[in-house]
Each structure stands twice: as C-alpha cells, then as structure tokens.
Amino acid sequence: MKNVADFIAKTTRELQAQIGDKKAICGLSGGVDSSVAAALVHKAVPGCLTCVYVDTGLMRQNECREVEEMFTGQFKIPFIRVDAVDEFLLKLTGIIDPEAKRKIIGETFVRVFEREAKKRGDAECLVQGTILPDIEESAAKTWVKSHHNVGGMPETMTFTELVEPLRTLCKDEVRQVGLELGMTNFMVFRQPFPGPGLAVRCLGEITAEKLDILRRADDIVTGALDELDIWQYFAILTGLRSVGIKNGKRVYGHVIAIRAVSSVNARTAEWFKIPYDILSRLSKRLTEEIPEVCRVVYDITDKPCGTIEWE
C-alpha cells in the first residue's frame, strides 16, 4: 500500500460495486482487523451493515464487555452480541487436533452469522477482517495452518458475497487505514487477538475448567506486561502437567507458558526480552494466585520457526 488515502478511495469504490444495495453482516471480533473492515464498509455503503460479535466462551477476561463498550461508543453501526458459548464448547468437546479446532470454529462462526442474517432480512454479504498473513499461512503451497476465516470456512454457506476489504494488507497497513478513518489509538493499537480466541492458546481438549485457568493466567500476564512496549503478549495453557510442591505437599499441576513478541506486520516476529525481575514476579503470581498452576516457562522462539500463536 503506497498511499493510505488512495487505498481507502479505491476500496470504497470496490465495496460500493460489490455490495450495492444489499445488506451485510460483519463478523466482529473486537480486534483491529475486523473493526477496520467494519469502518471501511460503513464508510463506503452507509446503512447496509450490522456488526455481530459472538461470545464463543473463548474470550479473554472481561473481553465481551470491553468490546461492546468500545465499539458502540465509537461507531454508529448497529451492534449485536450473540451468546453462543454452549454451542462452541459442545462442538469442541473431545477435539485435540489444532486444525480440527480451527475448522470447527470457522464453520460454527458462519452458522451463527447465517442465523443472525436470517433474523435481519437475509443479509447476503459477510464482511470479514481477513488480512494478507491469514491468506499466506492458509495457502496450499505455503500451508502453515488453516485460519478460521480462510481455510476454516465451510464449503457451503447462505451468504452470496464474502467481503474482505483488507485481504491485501499486513497488520501495520491495517492500522494506518484505521487511523486515517479516524479510529481511536486505543482501538487501532490494541494488541492482536486471534479469531479462534483462547482455543489456540489452550492446547489439547478445550474444557470450561481449562479456559477458566487460562483466562486467570492471561489476565495476570497481560496486566503485568501492559507497562512495556510489546507488540503482543499472552499466556498459554500448554497441556503439560508437572510435579510441584505447594503448602509442603506434592501437586501435579498445569504448566503455563508466557509468550511476548515484537513485530510490525505479523509475517515475522522476534521474541521479546522481558526483564528478569518482571518474569520472576510473574512466575510467583501465576503459581501463588492460581492453585492449579505449578510451573511457568518462557517462550523464546522467533517467527519463523515458531508461529506467534501456539496452535
């Protein structure tokens, strides 16, 4: 993207031609990509769009409330929050393979959006915040993983138009577009959060109990690292169990990994050197405040070889 204003003007014309007088639903995650996609479509075709935010049960601590307050406070676009926690967790029961998880999540998202579209006069267009790295990692020749909004999409759906205005951009370019559209710095520079949510940070089978542990761990990690200038940082429930000692007794608890990376466009990333004193405090808090956790490790892998997310 050479010029942000030119990109917005060109994309506006393309969106007007693609959507026309049809109704559209935007799958809003609350992250920068889907938020910028919604803002672009709203600018190009005012009045056509309804944003649908799905509570999958895979969100971070207080995420649903924060997204709703943030989005409804900034935009005058109809916003709907759908509770689909039971539906997602039921379909993920017993699933261990990360590819299977992503495909189940991608299809379930679409089915929820289809139901909401039918309630609102059969919206024909589905707007997604798909960006270039999503497509590159899901492509057959360079396949790394099936992103829920690319390789995880079902083969058939009732939407006649898939609208992806950001599919040629990387993360840094998406942020430039968001700023040009007048979005707040808080919304534009929120750290990335994957569409499948905590499902790709909770290794092995997804359960409500494991998600609760991960949410508490992630809240501690993100709260402690907010003071640092880090592109992305989070906790992972590794699926490993480890022997430990708590209150003078043997425990067999969960292992939490801390992941922090520096990046510009999400195509590559370097692990961030968190100061040792902060890591020490984090380890103590995680093991003392979460009874189920007895060991903490620190991920020092760049992308490549490792992807930013663990699954």
Side-chain angles (χ1 to χ4, degrees), residues 1-2 4 168-178 264:
M1 182 179 64
K2 295 181 179 179
V4 182
T168 61
L169 303 186
C170 291
K171 184 72 70 177
D172 55 324
E173 296 171 315
V174 173
R175 288 183 162 137
Q176 292 176 47
V177 172
V264 174

Side-chain angles (χ1 to χ4, degrees), residues 12-13 21 35-36 95 117 127 134 179 182 300 309:
T12 296
R13 293 191 297 270
D21 60 358
S35 298
V36 172
I95 305 300
V127 179
D134 299 342
L179 292 174
I300 59 170
E309 299 293 342

Side-chain angles (χ1 to χ4, degrees), residues 44-56:
V45 194
C48 81
L49 189 64
T50 297
C51 289
V52 178
Y53 175 80
V54 181
D55 181 359
T56 61

Side-chain angles (χ1 to χ4, degrees), residues 191-203:
Q191 66 158 306
F193 187 58
L198 297 179
V200 294
R201 298 175 182 174
C202 184
L203 279 61

